[in-house]
Amino acid sequence: MQEGRCGMNRNREQKPTRVPFAAKQVGEASSRWDWVEPCVWTDRMLTALETGVKGGQWFSLIDKVDRDRNLYQAFRRVAANGGAAGVDHVSCERFAERLIPNLRKLSQQLREGNYQPQAIRRQWIPKPGSRELRPLGIPTARDRVVQTALRQVLEPIFERDFAEQSYGFRPGRGCKDALQRVDTLLESGYTYVVDADLKSYFDTIPHDKLMNRVREKISDGQVLTLIEMFLRQQILDDLAEWTPDRGSPQGAVISPLLSNIYLDPLDHLMAGAGIEMVRYADDFVILCRTREDAERALEMVRQWTAEAGLTLHPDKTHIVDMAEGSFDFLGYTFQGRYRFPRKKSLQKFKDSIRQKTRRTNGHSLQCIIAQLNPTLRGWFNYFQHCQPSTYTILDQWVRMRLRSILRKRRKGKGRGRGHDHLRWPNAYFAEQGLFSLKQSHVLASQSSQR
């Protein structure tokens, strides 16, 4: 956004009680915070973040939320993520057609305290490898912009003290880091695993308890009101509209941060007791050296979740002895020293390949392979630490799907088999550029050994 367009709040931002607009930006501050939004987090604010603010609570934050540059950067992130339109049927593209007036209106509403979120459109989507459906909330584009602007202000405040055991929806961390930590602990002899499952976590977070945790660090009344409004946004589900009294909708921009805020005390409780827990959002495992330690850890979790108003799933929470059992975590199945794709992950992968390799597919083989390769490459990038036999089997299955297409084009019936392997050998598909999971694993292993 141009300087002239970004100046609508300049007079308000230059009041001596607030951080000056011209303060040094985050690029000059500690690299620890190089991910924060520089139009919000100046060196002066980062210094306060590092050294701590009086009473541990932050005041006067709403002027950072409604700042024009913050809203503009928030829109850019929302637009980059895409997503469907909400109940107002306004897409990101349509919102962008009147971007400056729309952002100015949001800034004014936030500043004056009369901003009101619209209802969330609920959509039910299938769970991978299951007949069950899970709810997804779709806020409007304008609400996603405001939630992103709010998150850009709040996230560093809470990130400062988040525990090391948490990996989900945090800057510079992800699934692979969590999986690597699990691997390290297993190899170090932590072979008794508490495989825990929070039942409907995002839908059952108590609003009052969550807000109490937010208030431990935030004292700006307008910001607190804004968070409460997002928690109590009406839900439009199949033409029925209702107001939730618990939970934070999956799909809302602010929900991952709020979910981490609520579970952070559990992270610190486990760490303080010397218990190794690895958590990604509401999915976590606890790794111990003995069954007695695992039973003690599980009892602590049961007690904490009960006090927090949450429920451990009785059928999905158990202790696993890795000498004879297995557990699933973040798409992988851990069994002994080996990793495999979780059955649901494998089913999701195969469903995606099936959609692109129907026998009635009228595209050329080169075109089909071009559509397959991004899926194959992306799947391998995540599941590249499985047993090598996994890739051989899946490569064979993918080639069978392609041979079935070619077989049908020669008026044949059924799956690719028999002489089809001679007519279209493995080398034929390699020449056509088909991504090979097995070959990629070989190359990755050689690179790792070097």
Side-chain angles (χ1 to χ4, degrees):
M1 184 178 289
Q2 296 177 353
E3 180 67 26
R5 293 177 176 176
C6 296
M8 57 187 175
N9 293 330
R10 181 176 297 171
N11 292 335
R12 177 167 51 84
E13 292 173 351
Q14 289 181 338
K15 291 180 180 179
T17 56
R18 297 178 181 176
V19 178
F21 186 77
K24 292 182 180 180
Q25 299 300 314
V26 69
E28 302 174 47
S30 169
S31 60
R32 177 188 175 190
W33 302 106
D34 59 3
W35 55 271
V36 303
E37 181 51 57
C39 71
V40 174
W41 287 93
T42 63
D43 263 359
R44 178 177 167 184
M45 286 186 66
L46 287 176
T47 298
L49 184 64
E50 289 280 7
T51 58
V53 293
K54 185 177 180 181
Q57 292 183 318
W58 288 75
F59 297 83
S60 188
L61 293 175
I62 192 65
D63 66 306
K64 318 299 185 298
V65 177
D66 65 44
R67 185 172 291 174
D68 52 315
R69 286 189 176 180
N70 186 34
L71 288 168
Y72 175 68
Q73 293 300 329
F75 168 76
R76 290 185 63 185
R77 293 191 176 187
V78 170
N81 290 333
V87 295
D88 60 356
H89 306 292
V90 176
S91 64
C92 290
E93 292 78 10
R94 185 175 167 191
F95 187 90
E97 291 175 0
R98 288 178 45 80
L99 180 59
I100 302 306
N102 284 337
L103 295 183
R104 283 177 174 167
K105 183 177 181 180
L106 286 178
S107 178
Q108 181 178 0
Q109 290 175 337
L110 289 166
R111 183 173 65 252
E112 296 175 354
N114 54 28
Y115 168 82
Q116 288 291 329
Q118 296 172 284
I120 292 177
R121 179 167 66 87
R122 171 160 285 185
Q123 183 173 344
W124 293 87
I125 61 176
K127 289 185 176 180
S130 171
R131 295 183 179 180
E132 297 181 16
L133 299 176
R134 69 178 180 89
L136 179 67
I138 305 177
T140 60
R142 68 186 283 273
D143 289 342
R144 295 204 297 272
V145 169
V146 174
Q147 287 192 23
T148 302
L150 178 61
R151 189 190 68 192
Q152 289 174 170
V153 173
L154 296 182
E155 190 169 24
I157 295 173
F158 291 94
E159 177 65 28
R160 174 184 183 270
D161 298 316
F162 277 161
E164 284 294 315
Q165 295 94 326
S166 169
Y167 292 87
F169 306 107
R170 294 183 60 188
R173 291 168 164 245
C175 291
K176 293 182 180 180
D177 302 300
L179 292 167
Q180 185 176 8
R181 180 59 180 163
V182 170
D183 260 348
T184 299
L185 290 170
L186 288 173
E187 292 173 3
S188 301
Y190 290 79
T191 56
Y192 287 88
V193 180
V194 179
D195 185 8
D197 184 273
L198 290 172
K199 189 175 182 180
S200 303
Y201 171 64
F202 281 90
D203 294 329
T204 58
I205 303 173
H207 289 171
D208 56 342
K209 294 179 184 294
L210 172 59
M211 289 306 302
N212 286 340
R213 298 203 175 137
V214 174
R215 290 188 186 96
E216 291 174 2
K217 294 183 181 294
I218 306 299
S219 292
D220 186 312
Q222 286 182 271
V223 168
L224 293 172
T225 298
L226 193 58
I227 296 172
E228 288 181 316
M229 285 195 297
F230 284 131
L231 288 175
R232 296 188 59 80
Q233 274 181 277
Q234 289 190 309
I235 307 292
L236 181 62
D237 187 359
D238 195 22
L239 301 181
E241 198 164 304
W242 55 280
T243 303
D245 56 5
R246 297 171 71 88
S248 182
Q250 294 188 63
V253 177
I254 199 70
S255 287
L257 175 60
L258 295 178
S259 73
N260 275 334
I261 291 172
Y262 198 63
L263 289 179
D264 186 57
L266 175 61
D267 298 337
H268 286 285
L269 175 66
M270 294 291 104
I275 297 172
E276 294 288 355
M277 182 171 78
V278 181
R279 182 174 68 81
Y280 190 96
D282 60 330
D283 194 1
F284 64 91
V285 290
I286 300 171
L287 296 98
C288 304
R289 292 187 181 275
T290 67
R291 177 172 288 277
E292 291 73 20
D293 288 345
E295 290 173 349
R296 179 173 67 92
L298 179 55
E299 183 56 36
M300 290 177 65
V301 172
R302 284 196 176 115
Q303 182 177 346
W304 185 90
T305 52
E307 293 173 354
L310 304 174
T311 303
L312 282 175
H313 200 296
D315 300 325
K316 298 181 180 180
T317 300
H318 56 284
I319 295 174
V320 178
D321 179 356
M322 293 302 292
E324 55 189 29
S326 65
F327 69 95
D328 295 336
F329 187 58
L330 299 182
Y332 277 90
T333 293
F334 291 80
Q335 185 172 0
R337 294 175 135 190
Y338 305 113
R339 275 196 200 178
F340 301 93
R342 187 183 180 189
K343 288 183 179 179
K344 291 183 178 180
S345 303
L346 202 56
Q347 185 64 45
K348 183 179 179 181
F349 168 75
K350 287 190 170 184
D351 287 345
S352 178
I353 297 298
R354 286 189 181 100
Q355 291 178 359
K356 296 177 173 68
T357 56
R358 300 184 189 278
R359 294 176 199 173
T360 55
N361 192 316
H363 293 101
S364 68
L365 181 64
Q366 290 79 8
C367 182
I368 295 172
I369 288 175
Q371 293 174 341
L372 282 177
N373 280 347
T375 301
L376 294 168
R377 190 175 290 110
W379 191 88
F380 176 77
N381 285 340
Y382 187 78
F383 289 100
Q384 60 182 290
H385 302 291
C386 293
Q387 271 296 95
S389 60
T390 301
Y391 312 116
T392 301
I393 294 170
L394 289 179
D395 275 344
Q396 292 172 349
W397 182 79
V398 171
R399 287 192 295 264
M400 180 276 294
R401 298 285 304 179
L402 295 175
R403 288 188 181 105
S404 298
I405 295 174
L406 298 175
R407 179 184 179 90
K408 181 175 179 60
R409 292 177 181 179
R410 294 174 67 95
K411 309 302 181 183
K413 295 182 179 180
R415 300 166 62 175
R417 61 185 186 274
H419 290 293
D420 293 338
H421 291 266
L422 300 176
R423 187 176 293 117
W424 302 293
N426 296 354
Y428 172 76
F429 296 106
E431 291 170 359
Q432 302 300 315
L434 179 65
F435 182 87
S436 169
L437 300 171
K438 179 181 178 180
Q439 184 62 26
S440 297
H441 179 259
V442 171
L443 294 174
S445 299
Q446 292 174 349
S447 176
S448 176
Q449 290 172 2
R450 294 195 194 101

